[in-house]
């Protein structure tokens, strides 16, 4: 995000004079305007137009190559200078300018395309690849009518204070296509998932997709295979592996593992499923009825029962009262509570909570 010069806004302007026009265009048209000096990359209400380092610029270009949607750009038309002034999107435009216009940016630090695209300049791409990038669609919000610099400040501040980034689940939804994501979506929207989570997992920003995706990652790859440095890459590997399934039986196995685990967890804990028990302090607070659904607890609990045979699942259910008692006792371990809430994507945290849930199940079955 660009840095504003802290100049007070003390001159009123007529908001009815503002006109905002939304246009859909292509990256190619933006680069043509940059090449011909039609876009002002140094507006006076932003300090620097080129703050991003090579790695961050490269990640923006990686998104462009992958076809991920870029946030909207905002421009103000300066009729006197006959230029488009950037209000929002300056760093993104500077990245595109460095790579596609100046051709000075060498791609580095890529996340998804590191093995194939790191070290490449724009000229290293084939004409077909360059054409694909230039044809990517972008949305422009073109503002005109505000003559004062103060108006531009207000618009700039309002836009940047309300911007949002794509969540990991939204990125996966854009990046991964095929039967694995189809299954994730179907199970996340299923009555079984709604029932097991009491409908308390938000569907905003596709959070419910994250629950299902994480289960598949740990079920297919195993928690001990998690490297501890990038949960999104780990989940992506599992989804790619699922897309390589060649039989209906494989798809039925992973779907049944998810649904059977959901059913068993709900049968064991009821309304407390995937929730940490209340502490003594929380119990004394009349406003706290229960803790929220925990994603980190969900993935560990689901995995622990997904590893059981049919006879073991039935035996665990028969010993429900023992499970409930030991489940509550387990949370007397303060370290477990911390590993369910702090640094949850570290390998240490993952191992701790998964092993704790595995021990709980084994203690109940062997007790």
């Amino acid at each position: 995000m660009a840095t504003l010069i802290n100049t007070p806004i003390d001159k009123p302007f007529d908001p009815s004079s503002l006109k905002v026009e939304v246009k859909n265009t292509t990256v190619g048209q933006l680069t043509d305007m940059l090449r011909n000096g039609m876009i002002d990359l140094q507006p006076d209400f932003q300090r620097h137009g080129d703050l991003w380092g090579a790695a961050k610029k490269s990640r923006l270009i990686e998104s462009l190559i992958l076809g991920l949607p870029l946030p909207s750009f905002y421009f103000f038309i300066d009729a006197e200078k006959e230029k488009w002034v950037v209000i929002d999107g300056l760093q993104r435009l500077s990245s595109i300018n460095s790579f596609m216009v100046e051709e000075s940016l060498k791609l580095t630090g890529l996340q998804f395309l590191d093995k194939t695209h790191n070290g490449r300049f724009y000229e290293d791409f084939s004409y077909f690849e360059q054409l694909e990038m230039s044809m990517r669609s972008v949305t422009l919000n073109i503002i005109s009518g505000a003559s004062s610099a103060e108006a531009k400040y207000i618009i700039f501040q309002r836009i940047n204070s309300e911007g949002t980034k794509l969540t990991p689940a939204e990125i996966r939804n854009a990046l991964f296509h095929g039967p694995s994501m189809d299954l994730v979506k179907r199970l996340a929207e299923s009555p079984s998932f709604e029932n097991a989570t009491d409908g308390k997992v938000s569907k905003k920003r596709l959070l419910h997709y994250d629950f299902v995706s994480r289960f598949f990652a740990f079920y297919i790859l195993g928690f001990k295979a998690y490297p501890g440095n990038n949960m999104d890459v780990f989940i992506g590997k599992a989804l790619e592996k699922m897309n390589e399934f060649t039989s209906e039986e494989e798809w039925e196995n992973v779907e049944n593992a998810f649904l059977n685990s959901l059913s068993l967890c709900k049968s064991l804990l009821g309304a407390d499923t995937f929730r940490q028990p209340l502490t003594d302090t929380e119990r004394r607070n009349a406003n706290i009825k229960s803790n929220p659904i925990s994603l980190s607890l969900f993935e560990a609990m689901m995995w622990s029962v997904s590893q059981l045979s049919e006879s073991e699942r039935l035996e665990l259910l028969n010993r429900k009262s023992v499970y409930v008692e030991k489940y509550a006792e387990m949370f007397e371990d303060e370290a477990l509570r911390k590993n369910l809430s702090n640094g949850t994507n570290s390998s240490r945290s993952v191992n701790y909570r998964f092993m704790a849930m595995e021990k709980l199940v084994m203690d109940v079955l062997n007790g």
Side-chain angles (χ1 to χ4, degrees), residues 232-250:
D232 298 319
V233 171
F234 184 67
I235 294 172
K237 287 180 179 178
L239 295 178
E240 289 175 347
K241 189 169 184 178
M242 289 171 65
N243 281 338
E244 295 172 0
F245 286 171
T246 57
S247 69
E248 284 297 320
E249 183 179 5
E250 290 176 295

Side-chain angles (χ1 to χ4, degrees), residues 69 165-176 181 184-186 188-189 193 201-214 232 235 295:
K165 296 180 179 180
L166 290 174
T167 66
E170 289 170 326
I171 292 173
R172 282 195 292 275
N173 188 47
L175 184 62
F176 290 98
M181 276 307 300
V184 166
K185 295 174 186 178
R186 180 157 58 83
E189 300 286 350
F193 182 76
V201 176
S202 174
K203 294 183 179 180
K204 293 180 180 179
R205 314 304 307 274
L206 305 184
L207 179 60
H208 54 325
Y209 287 12
D210 228 19
F211 277 69
V212 182
S213 298
R214 283 175 178 246
D232 298 319
I235 294 172
L295 174 56

Side-chain angles (χ1 to χ4, degrees), residues 68-335:
L68 296 178
L70 298 184
S72 298
F73 294 86
Y74 284 75
F75 294 93
F76 171 76
I77 295 181
D78 190 326
E80 292 183 1
K81 295 182 179 179
E82 295 186 337
K83 285 183 180 289
W84 286 23
V85 180
V86 185
I87 296 178
D88 185 55
L90 183 60
Q91 304 308 322
R92 283 173 273 136
L93 279 169
S94 295
S95 301
I96 292 171
N97 188 60
S98 296
F99 185 67
M100 300 179 70
V101 179
E102 297 175 349
E103 300 187 20
S104 59
L105 176 64
K106 180 180 179 180
L107 297 181
T108 184
L110 301 180
Q111 184 175 7
F112 297 105
L113 303 175
D114 56 318
K115 294 181 180 179
T116 56
H117 290 65
N118 267 338
R120 297 176 72 179
F121 290 88
Y122 183 69
E123 65 180 12
D124 297 324
F125 287 75
S126 68
Y127 176 75
F128 179 80
E129 292 172 320
Q130 293 178 357
L131 184 62
E132 281 195 314
M133 281 186 273
S134 69
M135 292 296 288
R136 300 296 189 204
S137 296
V138 290
T139 300
L140 312 181
N141 294 273
I142 305 166
I143 301 167
S144 58
S147 58
S148 68
E150 287 79 6
K152 297 176 204 175
Y153 278 112
I154 293 172
I155 295 166
F156 180 87
Q157 289 173 316
R158 180 64 57 84
I159 290 168
N160 279 275
S161 67
E162 296 180 356
T164 56
K165 296 180 179 180
L166 290 174
T167 66
E170 289 170 326
I171 292 173
R172 282 195 292 275
N173 188 47
L175 184 62
F176 290 98
H177 301 280
S180 62
M181 276 307 300
D182 291 343
L183 182 59
V184 166
K185 295 174 186 178
R186 180 157 58 83
L187 292 177
E189 300 286 350
S190 69
S192 297
F193 182 76
E194 284 282 307
N195 177 59
T197 57
D198 294 328
K200 297 299 184 181
V201 176
S202 174
K203 294 183 179 180
K204 293 180 180 179
R205 314 304 307 274
L206 305 184
L207 179 60
H208 54 325
Y209 287 12
D210 228 19
F211 277 69
V212 182
S213 298
R214 283 175 178 246
F215 169 80
F216 284 147
F218 288 112
Y219 178 73
I220 292 170
L221 302 178
F223 75 88
K224 292 181 180 178
Y226 176 59
N229 53 4
N230 197 315
M231 181 65 74
D232 298 319
V233 171
F234 184 67
I235 294 172
K237 287 180 179 178
L239 295 178
E240 289 175 347
K241 189 169 184 178
M242 289 171 65
N243 281 338
E244 295 172 0
F245 286 171
T246 57
S247 69
E248 284 297 320
E249 183 179 5
E250 290 176 295
W251 289 106
E252 290 175 1
N253 286 340
V254 293
E255 181 173 355
N256 289 335
F258 180 82
L259 293 174
N260 290 337
S261 299
L262 270 181
S263 176
L264 181 54
C265 290
K266 185 67 173 181
S267 297
L268 288 169
L269 291 176
D272 294 325
T273 308
F274 312 130
R275 303 174 191 269
Q276 291 190 41
L278 295 174
T279 63
D280 291 338
T281 301
E282 290 169 336
R283 289 191 188 94
R284 290 192 293 268
N285 189 335
N287 294 324
I288 301 178
K289 304 300 181 183
S290 64
N291 277 316
I293 299 287
S294 166
L295 174 56
S296 54
L297 184 54
F298 173 91
E299 61 194 17
M301 187 177 180
M302 286 281 286
W303 178 87
S304 69
V305 299
S306 72
Q307 305 302 300
L308 302 178
S309 65
E310 179 62 25
S311 60
E312 288 173 327
R313 287 197 295 270
L314 290 173
E315 183 62 23
L316 189 64
L317 194 54
N318 287 334
R319 300 187 181 188
K320 173 181 176 179
S321 61
V322 179
Y323 183 94
V324 171
E325 179 182 353
K326 288 186 176 293
Y327 180 82
E329 292 174 354
M330 183 176 66
F331 286 91
E332 294 175 3
D333 177 11
E334 188 61 31

